[in-house]
Amino acid sequence: ISAIVANFSIAYAVVDEVHCLSEWGHDFRTSYLNLAKTIDKLSPKDENGEGKIKFIGLTATASVNVLKDIKIEFSRQKQRLEDENIKSLLDYSRRELQFEVINDNGNKSQKIREILEDLKDTENFIETTEKAGLVFTPNVNGAYGCYQVSNTLSSIYQNKVSWFSGEVPKVDEYDANGNRTGRKIDLMPKQDFIKHKLDVQKHFKENKYQLLVATKAFGMGIDKQNIHYTFHYGLPSSVEALYQEAGRAGRWDKRKKENKNKIGKCFVLYSPETHDEERVQRLFHKDTTFAE
């Protein structure tokens, strides 16, 4: 930025997906939170000593609290940021998306296979390259992890499924006799994992496979024209996260006549909460010891 400022006049700093500044800036991406301050520091100054570069933050999925937080963080540098500087859409509805929340009765693996089989029979999904789908999982590892879910679906739909995550999946370690050691190790070396992610994005874009199982680390704002389906393998952390991820479907050009009546389907699988009433009461009872 310093090099650019030395040679050019910058009018605006545009921060896309600005909700990340708040949602991720407070814990593991503090550089996001400092973005306004950093740009301001590098900006040429006006007669009042304020940076000349103006800020525009753009997002489609900021909650009220996230907007408040962004306002606070930007106001530290730009004292004139008031409510009138925040413009929000009055209608966030995506009429080309159809949501269906499904009780899977604790068996997500079975339910998603049923949905995929139904879509294969009724809408020719999986069989051709015309339509693609995304399965969002809450974790990288475990039964609800993208790696395990991808393996399960790959065994049914060979060469039609892949996976993507921000971290290397962990797998069981085995000794020389083929017995589990009880430890978890990385699925692959770091360099191989970086190549895997690049290949996955490229091949998905080229329709080499129809279904990608991923964590939320995959492609925010992805604009792949033929994503007709999203599946949430469990509830996301917030309504905003759900809308952001499900919204990767239905990104076709609405101006084209053939796309006017296209519908993207967004499936959300959930399991009803179950608990042992007696154990819950015991947990919160005043006589329960700390050790217990």
Side-chain angles (χ1 to χ4, degrees):
I1 292 175
S2 297
I4 294 168
V5 165
N7 295 289
F8 301 97
S9 176
I10 299 177
Y12 291 103
V14 183
V15 185
D16 199 15
E17 308 292 0
V18 73
H19 59 273
C20 297
L21 182 148
S22 172
E23 288 182 16
W24 297 345
H26 291 283
D27 38 42
F28 75 108
R29 285 286 182 269
T30 50
S31 56
Y32 288 6
L33 208 58
N34 290 322
L35 194 57
K37 186 165 66 177
T38 301
I39 293 170
D40 221 37
K41 192 170 84 174
L42 298 170
S43 171
K45 304 296 185 283
D46 61 19
E47 61 275 9
N48 299 317
E50 258 197 31
K52 288 182 178 179
I53 296 177
K54 294 180 174 66
F55 292 85
I56 299 177
L58 304 171
T59 175
T61 49
S63 65
V64 172
N65 287 331
V66 168
L67 280 175
K68 284 179 184 174
D69 195 31
I70 292 167
K71 184 182 169 187
I72 289 167
E73 294 307 324
F74 274 16
S75 288
R76 285 176 183 167
Q77 323 311 320
K78 306 287 180 183
Q79 297 302 323
R80 294 185 298 277
L81 182 59
E82 302 294 341
D83 286 339
E84 60 263 26
N85 292 85
I86 298 174
K87 305 298 181 189
S88 295
L89 294 173
L90 296 176
D91 183 6
Y92 279 92
S93 58
R94 297 268 306 276
R95 289 174 179 81
E96 70 279 11
L97 297 183
Q98 186 180 85
F99 285 81
E100 189 172 348
V101 182
I102 299 169
N103 181 348
D104 56 45
N105 292 306
N107 193 340
K108 296 189 191 311
S109 181
Q110 176 63 30
K111 182 54 71 175
I112 198 164
R113 279 180 279 174
E114 288 175 8
I115 296 169
L116 288 171
E117 281 300 303
D118 183 56
L119 291 173
K120 190 177 83 164
D121 294 341
T122 59
E123 302 186 23
N124 208 26
F125 180 47
I126 296 283
E127 295 300 299
T128 71
T129 59
E130 289 178 17
K131 297 177 180 179
L134 281 166
V135 179
F136 287 101
T137 64
N139 309 313
V140 178
N141 302 300
Y144 286 12
C146 64
Y147 182 64
Q148 179 61 53
V149 174
S150 173
N151 285 345
T152 302
L153 294 176
S154 292
S155 66
I156 306 165
Y157 307 107
Q158 285 88 0
N159 304 317
K160 303 282 188 179
V161 186
S162 192
W163 59 272
F164 185 99
S165 60
E167 299 174 3
V168 184
K170 301 281 186 184
V171 292
D172 290 320
E173 182 185 56
Y174 291 85
D175 61 23
N177 298 318
N179 300 314
R180 288 181 184 174
T181 64
R183 293 197 308 164
K184 297 283 186 181
I185 57 172
D186 286 348
L187 174 69
M188 61 181 77
K190 195 76 175 175
Q191 282 306 115
D192 291 352
F193 179 60
I194 291 168
K195 183 180 184 303
H196 167 81
K197 290 202 292 184
L198 291 171
D199 287 345
V200 163
Q201 292 179 90
K202 182 174 181 288
H203 294 160
F204 189 52
K205 189 176 179 181
E206 293 171 351
N207 296 312
K208 295 255 176 97
Y209 43 82
Q210 282 62 62
L211 199 59
L212 181 64
V213 186
T215 62
K216 64 182 179 182
F218 179 72
M220 185 178 294
I222 186 173
D223 202 21
K224 185 167 154 63
Q225 292 278 310
N226 69 337
I227 296 180
H228 281 246
Y229 312 104
T230 61
F231 309 85
H232 272 87
Y233 209 76
L235 297 178
S237 57
S238 67
V239 173
E240 291 80 34
L242 170 63
Y243 209 53
Q244 172 81 322
E245 291 157 17
R248 317 265 165 93
R251 295 284 182 105
W252 42 76
D253 189 343
K254 316 302 185 294
R255 294 167 298 181
K256 291 184 178 178
K257 190 176 179 181
E258 63 269 26
N259 294 336
K260 289 287 184 190
N261 298 315
K262 272 188 185 176
I263 293 293
K265 295 183 178 179
C266 308
F267 301 92
V268 183
L269 305 184
Y270 82 97
S271 304
E273 186 175 31
T274 57
H275 65 266
D276 183 332
E277 184 64 29
E278 187 179 330
R279 292 179 72 192
V280 171
Q281 292 303 321
R282 190 66 195 152
L283 175 66
F284 291 106
H285 197 278
K286 61 183 177 63
D287 294 332
T288 303
T289 63
F290 181 71
E292 188 186 350

